[in-house]
Amino acid sequence: MKIRFTALFFLSLLLSIAKHPVLAQRPPAYPLVTIDPYTSIWAFTDKLNESPTRHWTGKNQPLDGLVRVDGRAYRFMGAEMTTLKTVIPTALTAGYELQYTFQKPGDGWEKPGFKPSGDWKTGQAPIGDGASSNPVKPATLWKTKEVWYRRTVTVSDLNFEKPVLYLSHDNDVVVYINGVKAFESGPGYIGDYKTFALSPAAKAALKKGTNLLAVSCINPVGGGYVDVGLVDQRKVNLGAPVMLAQQQNVTVRATQTEYRFAAGPVSLTVNFTTPLLLDDLDVATRPASYLTYTAQSTDGKPHTVEVYTAASGLLSVNQPNQEVVGKRSSAEGLTVLSIGTTEQNILGRKGDDVRIDWGYALLAVPTASTTQTGIGQPAALFRSFVSTGKVVDEANQPTAADNRSLAVSQALGTVTQTPKTAHVILGYDDLYAVQYFGKNLRAWWRRDESMTTEKMLAAVEKDYAQLTEKCRQFDQKLHAEAEKSGGKPYADLCQLAYRQAIAAHKTVAGPKGEVLFLSKENFSNGSIGTVDVTYPSAPLFLIYNPTLLKGMMEPIFQYSESGKWTKPFAAHDVGTYPLANGQTYGEDMPVEESGNMLILTAAIAASEKNADYAKQHWQTLTTWVDYLKKDGFDPANQLCTDDFAGHLARNANLSIKAIMGIASYGHLAKLLGQSEVGDQHLKLARELAQKWVQMAQDGDHYALTFDKPQGSWSQKYNLVWDKLLDLNIFPKDVAEKEIRYYLTKQQPFGLPLDSRKTYTKSDWIIWTATIADKPQDFQQLVLPVFKYADQTPSRVPLGDWHETTNGKQVGFQARSVVGGYFIKLLHDKLH
């Protein structure tokens, strides 16, 4: 019956895909400006003009776009402009007094008539545990699992336009107003402040004068914080009506996202291109994206067209109330607007759910008599363009980031059926990118101290026509090659993953001028240079530029070889982004990280067709393989890359990694002319593989662990390297047996990671699918991942950890590990 169910499911999925043939029409979120972990702007909704554009963390980073056609304004990018008027302040504005308890209170604690007992204390907001993820430093420390607090507030005016809660919660929060439930978050957390709808009953319960705001929050693990206020969300009067441009189409390709709109009688195409062409690092690492507009008459008549582009000061801050100032400069043929914080605390902030608040956001435009630029209050810039088609500068004194924008107006003149185009450049100069063992390092493009923002932008402008065409050709080639390798759904997944995987890294010049390509462990813990993030990300970089994979591995090698890391296995990370001063993760992953480094070094040798890189670090690799020979085959109770699933002793998949690490060392030794050492390690690896088969055997499959809990199984994705590197360590029927078994375990949105839960990791599914020899088996395992990406209700940059039963994100987003989707294409390129 399992086989029959799988066949029916596969058929229904094929029919579903026939109805939705192009994944790029509906990704979970749409990449727009994808440069690095700090400069990464996305559309989280299907239409570009139905919500603000956002940083990958979900924080608003508005890019706004208007087009005027014959004097009538249409909005094609960004949300309707609103302001937030404070009704009940949060601690972002000022601390406030509250009554709180860490002991479960009696019934009615949330109601105005409740009399707090002796367990209740008086303190100052905000409440939190002081973790780096707390958006404001707590005035009251909270170290227990749950907190309850009450706060008396005064509301002077009930004449609201749209009252909404404004809060930050970590984790689950419930809010009451005068005893009436106003909001319940459910499981999850918001590491920053966001607006949330107020229940109608709570809105009705608000009264003029004294009100009670009561809040409870649960913090099951780390990062506790809660702060709640109320704001009135008001529409901004723009002086004239602004129509909504009708979005007709959107397409996501590897380096481009393109929208098409109807603005009355004019068709407007809006193209975001980030030229992440990895064969040229000087180009790929420039912190600049192109935004191109193409306008064309659709009714056969001429029309006057002007286009407006604005970038918010929020692009350059972590919190909206941080103070910024704009400035103007020029480059060859360009007018350059920039905005950044007045404080400029370079490399002063680290963590996961944070945004950069040093350096400068950039908006540059070709200088022309038909182009105007302005720095000012967002609403004033909008009004000016809506009424006149032009923008004017305001006084540019320092102000809160959400009260300042950079803006450009470009007059395309009379537009007919012959298209007319204009473009702007969006970018970011971070001045210094990371701190590396105490030394502040510049981005790769800025490694020459004579390089400036203006010189960089001039080169970006000079290369505009060439690079946009090169990106178009690259996108076509990538998709065609991936489709040939694994089918169209697989190709669509690869093109969706491409920019995300690259932009979760920063390329810097190391102390010796070497390339360092440092990942940020997005929405996980914010680690920098994590080895078990490098491992799944590697296939993309092995295909397009192995130098970048070496740049991911080099910090771990240098950490060990400097003497700062003295353990006989590889470190997990080198710090918390952007401070790479040594491991900050609380627990080691000895077998995981040592196996990863050995396998990836062998993969580099396969891609470059020499073992020169291994030779540079041979002594360190030898130390790590010795550890695996001693403790790798039957691992102790330790974490692996799937640490979110918890500790696991005698992990059969982790054992495969140890065996493949030993085999990789043997293979490299032979390439380096050490035949005896190579044969010895390859022989040992094959002997351990035979032993593995006996110990993991569990009827029609291989177990999760060597002690074989009843019914246990797991994806043995680490087997893929035996196939990619042609090492022939494991008997061929091991993979065949596992694939047959996996096909009976499919869920609607993918193959579960293992028998413990129904959630999965999409990158590992594609590695597992690549083990299959039959194309139909590969496609049958990949199609549910396609379905997840195409239909998930979690509208965030592609998550790699999701629930296979309903397609919802479990955790993680915008991570580099989706570069692992390229492993099937890597296999085919190596063979």
Side-chain angles (χ1 to χ4, degrees):
M1 286 303 293
K2 287 179 180 176
I3 299 295
R4 176 170 173 75
F5 167 78
T6 301
L8 289 172
F9 164 70
F10 183 55
L11 178 61
S12 68
L13 192 52
L14 283 173
L15 292 173
S16 170
I17 287 177
K19 295 178 184 176
H20 306 279
V22 183
L23 170 68
Q25 300 308 309
R26 197 284 194 189
Y30 299 78
L32 304 178
V33 178
T34 47
I35 291 170
D36 60 35
Y38 283 138
T39 306
S40 183
I41 306 174
W42 297 68
F44 279 44
T45 48
D46 291 321
K47 293 183 179 179
L48 187 59
N49 55 9
E50 66 183 354
S51 69
T53 59
R54 305 178 191 275
H55 187 256
W56 65 260
T57 56
K59 187 69 174 178
N60 287 357
Q61 289 197 334
L63 300 174
D64 291 301
L66 300 170
V67 59
R68 269 179 36 120
V69 178
D70 300 328
R72 173 172 285 187
Y74 299 82
R75 175 166 49 86
F76 63 83
M77 178 165 61
E80 183 176 42
M81 184 165 283
T82 61
T83 59
L84 301 179
K85 181 183 179 183
T86 299
V87 179
I88 301 173
T90 66
L92 271 177
T93 307
Y96 53 85
E97 188 174 275
L98 45 76
Q99 289 180 300
Y100 68 94
T101 181
F102 300 130
Q103 306 296 322
K104 184 174 177 60
D107 293 344
W109 68 273
E110 75 281 12
K111 296 178 180 177
F114 180 79
K115 302 296 184 185
S117 67
D119 290 333
W120 289 78
K121 300 176 182 177
T122 299
Q124 289 291 310
I127 289 178
D129 67 350
S132 61
S133 59
N134 290 179
V136 177
K137 184 178 180 180
T140 297
L141 280 179
W142 168 31
K143 297 291 187 178
T144 60
K145 183 178 179 181
E146 195 162 359
V147 66
W148 296 259
Y149 78 76
R150 292 162 54 92
R151 174 187 178 192
T152 300
V153 297
T154 301
V155 176
S156 58
D157 185 3
L158 295 178
N159 185 27
F160 301 125
E161 196 167 312
K162 185 182 178 182
V164 291
L165 291 168
Y166 190 54
L167 65 123
S168 176
H169 66 92
D170 188 358
N171 287 57
D172 316 348
V173 68
V174 184
V175 180
Y176 301 88
I177 293 176
N178 294 327
V180 177
K181 185 183 288 187
F183 173 74
E184 184 171 5
S185 70
Y189 69 96
I190 296 297
D192 216 319
Y193 286 78
K194 287 188 178 180
T195 59
F196 295 91
L198 190 66
S199 73
K203 181 181 176 182
L206 268 172
K207 59 184 182 179
K208 194 171 182 178
T210 302
N211 292 261
L212 177 73
L213 183 68
V215 178
S216 69
C217 190
I218 298 173
N219 177 35
V221 58
Y225 186 88
V226 62
D227 182 23
V228 180
L230 185 74
V231 295
D232 188 19
Q233 189 170 326
R234 298 184 171 188
K235 294 180 183 178
V236 173
N237 181 5
L238 298 178
V242 177
M243 308 287 286
L244 200 64
Q246 299 303 304
Q247 184 174 308
Q248 298 175 319
N249 187 33
V250 57
T251 304
V252 175
R253 303 183 183 92
T255 65
Q256 304 171 77
T257 299
E258 185 168 284
Y259 297 84
R260 190 173 73 248
F261 295 92
V266 166
S267 171
L268 181 71
T269 300
V270 180
N271 180 288
F272 294 86
T273 299
T274 304
L276 296 175
L277 302 168
L278 300 185
D279 60 343
D280 186 341
L281 290 186
D282 285 334
V283 167
T285 62
R286 290 175 186 160
S289 290
Y290 300 114
L291 175 49
T292 300
Y293 303 116
T294 304
Q296 183 177 16
S297 172
T298 57
D299 64 358
K301 299 176 183 178
H303 299 281
T304 302
V305 175
E306 298 126 337
V307 182
Y308 170 91
T309 311
S312 170
L314 292 172
L315 271 66
S316 62
V317 295
N318 183 54
Q319 295 291 351
N321 59 343
Q322 288 182 269
E323 196 172 76
V324 297
V325 65
K327 61 181 181 179
R328 183 190 306 274
S329 62
S330 61
E332 261 183 72
L334 290 172
T335 300
V336 180
L337 305 177
S338 62
I339 195 163
T341 57
T342 55
E343 186 178 14
Q344 287 297 307
N345 185 20
I346 294 174
L347 296 171
R349 187 183 301 277
K350 66 176 182 177
D352 187 9
D353 186 5
V354 296
R355 289 139 299 278
I356 194 169
D357 56 4
W358 66 89
Y360 297 91
L362 308 169
L363 176 60
V365 62
T367 304
S369 60
T370 54
T371 297
Q372 291 192 329
T373 60
I375 302 172
Q377 185 190 41
L381 293 165
F382 256 63
R383 286 192 196 99
S384 175
F385 180 81
V386 168
S387 60
T388 69
K390 300 175 181 178
V391 293
V392 292
D393 268 330
E394 289 187 318
N396 190 29
Q397 70 276 12
T399 188
D402 57 0
N403 195 39
R404 188 65 77 233
S405 283
L406 313 175
V408 169
S409 167
Q410 294 169 287
L412 275 62
T414 301
V415 171
T416 63
Q417 290 175 296
T418 302
K420 283 192 173 182
T421 66
H423 71 273
V424 298
I425 298 167
L426 293 158
Y428 205 100
D429 180 3
D430 57 13
L431 307 179
Y432 283 94
V434 302
Q435 186 175 96
Y436 188 71
F437 295 102
K439 183 177 181 181
N440 291 354
L441 300 184
R442 296 178 184 271
W444 183 257
W445 70 273
R446 239 185 187 275
R447 64 194 182 278
D448 182 341
E449 292 190 10
S450 68
M451 176 57 72
T452 64
T453 301
E454 289 74 22
K455 288 180 181 178
M456 179 272 294
L457 289 172
V460 170
E461 174 62 19
K462 181 181 177 182
D463 292 343
Y464 169 73
Q466 171 198 346
L467 287 179
T468 51
E469 175 59 21
K470 191 173 180 181
C471 284
R472 186 188 66 79
Q473 294 177 7
F474 173 80
D475 293 351
Q476 289 180 345
K477 182 181 179 184
L478 182 153
H479 195 274
E481 290 179 344
E483 184 172 0
K484 181 180 178 182
S485 180
K488 190 172 187 307
Y490 173 66
D492 289 344
L493 284 168
C494 286
Q495 71 179 2
L496 178 58
Y498 184 80
R499 267 177 287 171
Q500 174 172 314
I502 298 169
H505 297 82
K506 187 68 177 184
T507 314
V508 300
K512 298 173 288 187
E514 72 276 28
V515 172
L516 299 180
F517 192 54
L518 290 154
S519 63
K520 181 174 188 291
E521 198 169 338
N522 289 345
F523 253 44
S524 177
N525 68 350
S527 288
I528 186 170
T530 303
V531 177
D532 57 289
V533 168
T534 295
Y535 180 65
S537 306
L540 184 154
F541 304 102
L542 284 164
I543 294 170
Y544 296 109
N545 192 338
T547 295
L548 290 173
L549 177 55
K550 288 187 273 190
M552 296 157 79
M553 299 168 66
E554 195 64 19
I556 299 296
F557 279 124
Q558 292 183 13
Y559 190 18
S560 282
E561 291 159 5
S562 70
K564 293 182 174 70
W565 179 260
T566 58
K567 298 178 183 180
F569 45 78
H572 169 271
D573 62 79
V574 289
T576 299
Y577 198 93
L579 306 183
N581 294 321
Q583 179 171 312
T584 51
Y585 192 68
E587 188 169 351
D588 298 326
M589 299 184 189
V591 174
E592 174 71 40
E593 312 303 20
S594 300
N596 290 342
M597 293 294 287
L598 284 154
I599 291 167
L600 293 179
T601 305
I604 289 170
S607 291
E608 296 187 331
K609 296 183 169 45
N610 65 69
D612 292 351
Y613 188 62
K615 187 175 182 180
Q616 294 176 35
H617 300 292
W618 194 244
Q619 183 176 343
T620 305
L621 292 169
T622 301
T623 298
W624 292 340
V625 81
D626 286 345
Y627 174 82
L628 292 182
K629 288 190 293 183
K630 179 175 178 289
D631 293 313
F633 173 71
D634 194 351
N637 188 29
Q638 60 181 256
L639 292 176
C640 69
T641 185
D642 305 317
D643 54 354
F644 52 85
H647 291 75
L648 193 64
R650 314 196 73 193
N651 184 335
N653 186 46
L654 188 59
S655 177
I656 294 173
K657 181 167 289 180
I659 295 168
M660 292 309 305
I662 294 167
S664 295
Y665 182 87
H667 175 64
L668 290 166
K670 289 179 74 72
L671 291 176
L672 291 171
Q674 300 181 30
S675 296
E676 185 176 343
V677 173
D679 289 339
Q680 174 191 354
H681 284 81
L682 288 167
K683 179 174 181 289
L684 173 61
R686 292 189 178 103
E687 289 171 351
L688 291 174
Q690 291 294 337
K691 186 177 178 183
W692 184 96
V693 170
Q694 297 302 316
M695 291 177 63
Q697 177 70 254
D698 195 16
D700 59 354
H701 69 285
Y702 297 93
L704 171 67
T705 60
F706 287 141
D707 50 8
K708 302 176 188 176
Q710 187 174 4
S712 76
W713 61 275
S714 64
Q715 292 188 45
K716 308 301 190 298
Y717 53 80
N718 287 316
L719 271 176
V720 74
W721 294 104
D722 201 14
K723 183 176 182 178
L724 261 69
L725 299 176
D726 291 320
L727 297 179
N728 301 309
I729 301 300
F730 283 81
K732 189 173 177 60
D733 62 0
V734 171
E736 293 172 349
K737 179 187 286 191
E738 285 290 275
I739 293 294
R740 284 196 301 272
Y741 187 77
Y742 297 150
L743 292 174
T744 71
K745 295 295 181 181
Q746 293 265 66
Q747 294 290 331
F749 292 93
L751 177 68
L753 182 65
D754 58 47
S755 52
R756 291 175 290 175
K757 301 281 187 180
T758 53
Y759 59 55
T760 195
K761 289 281 271 85
S762 57
D763 48 341
W764 295 149
I765 290 178
I766 296 179
W767 286 40
T768 296
T770 302
I771 296 168
D773 285 331
K774 297 176 182 177
Q776 61 267 35
D777 290 344
F778 173 85
Q779 292 174 8
Q780 193 168 343
L781 287 162
V782 168
L783 280 172
V785 180
F786 172 97
K787 182 180 178 183
Y788 153 68
D790 193 41
Q791 298 180 22
T792 175
S794 304
R795 306 308 301 274
V796 296
L798 189 61
D800 53 284
W801 179 19
H802 72 269
E803 177 53 60
T804 62
T805 58
N806 57 23
K808 291 183 178 180
Q809 173 197 33
V810 177
F812 309 154
Q813 65 196 48
R815 299 209 308 164
S816 66
V817 302
V818 296
Y821 289 8
F822 285 78
I823 197 157
K824 178 64 165 63
L825 185 56
L826 173 64
H827 170 269
D828 294 352
K829 284 187 174 291
L830 291 177
H831 296 82

